[in-house]
Amino acid sequence: IESGLLLLNSVVLEGAAQEAARQVRTGSVQNAGAPEIEFKRLLCENLYGLMPCTELTYIVSSFPDFTTANIPAMYDADGNQIASSYQTTSPGDIVIVRVARRWNFITPIEGLLSLIAAQSRGGSYIGWDIFRLQTTVVFRNEPFNPPGT
């Protein structure tokens, strides 16, 4: 059952990030009075109450082209989620939207299987009962009228 809940949460998180990113891409978020507040509102609205929005972190980064774009880390060296941040974007910018949440396993066997899988891949280990849910959306902003034009 918990594996199904994890999968459901993962799909909902992905969908919420995609929808909020779509509104950034079209300029709707930028043309709102407060872009970061609007982005967070859209992100949380599309979670359908399945997970608490307060447990999410997000990073919206903007770059002039793909060669300068880099994907920011969502966790520090100790496995803690970093603080959310929102960088204003403009028409034609390359934008990276990342959203993350830590999933705490309820059943011990699921956590143990996660530990075994992480160790077999040589991956980072942040605790036997914790799984990192994260999603990344990369796109070029569409041409839109920036605020104030």
Side-chain angles (χ1 to χ4, degrees):
I1 293 175
E2 189 166 17
S3 295
L5 286 173
L6 177 63
L7 179 61
L8 176 63
N9 274 264
S10 179
V11 169
V12 169
L13 183 66
E14 175 75 25
Q18 288 282 345
E19 183 55 33
R22 180 180 171 282
Q23 299 305 317
V24 171
R25 184 173 54 245
T26 61
S28 295
V29 168
Q30 294 85 329
N31 287 314
E36 183 171 5
I37 292 170
E38 177 66 5
F39 174 81
K40 187 173 181 179
R41 184 191 70 75
L42 288 166
L43 183 63
C44 295
E45 182 179 276
N46 284 285
L47 295 174
Y48 305 109
L50 189 61
M51 61 189 85
C53 196
T54 56
E55 294 180 5
L56 298 182
T57 57
Y58 57 85
I59 300 174
V60 178
S61 306
S62 176
F63 304 92
D65 54 52
F66 282 106
T67 59
T68 59
N70 62 357
I71 297 176
M74 295 299 296
Y75 298 90
D76 64 18
D78 296 324
N80 300 310
Q81 287 178 241
I82 61 168
S84 294
S85 65
Y86 183 92
Q87 184 179 3
T88 304
T89 69
S90 301
D93 282 355
I94 304 305
V95 180
I96 299 176
V97 174
R98 298 201 78 196
V99 182
R101 176 183 185 234
R102 289 170 60 133
W103 174 273
N104 294 314
F105 286 107
I106 299 167
T107 53
I109 191 67
E110 293 287 340
L112 181 60
L113 293 174
S114 176
L115 165 63
I116 293 168
Q119 289 179 338
S120 70
R121 292 188 313 268
S124 62
Y125 173 64
I126 59 173
W128 73 269
D129 62 341
I130 299 170
F131 187 80
R132 296 175 181 167
L133 288 175
Q134 60 187 27
T135 184
T136 304
V137 185
V138 181
F139 55 89
R140 181 183 300 273
N141 272 351
E142 296 176 2
F144 59 83
N145 292 328
T149 59

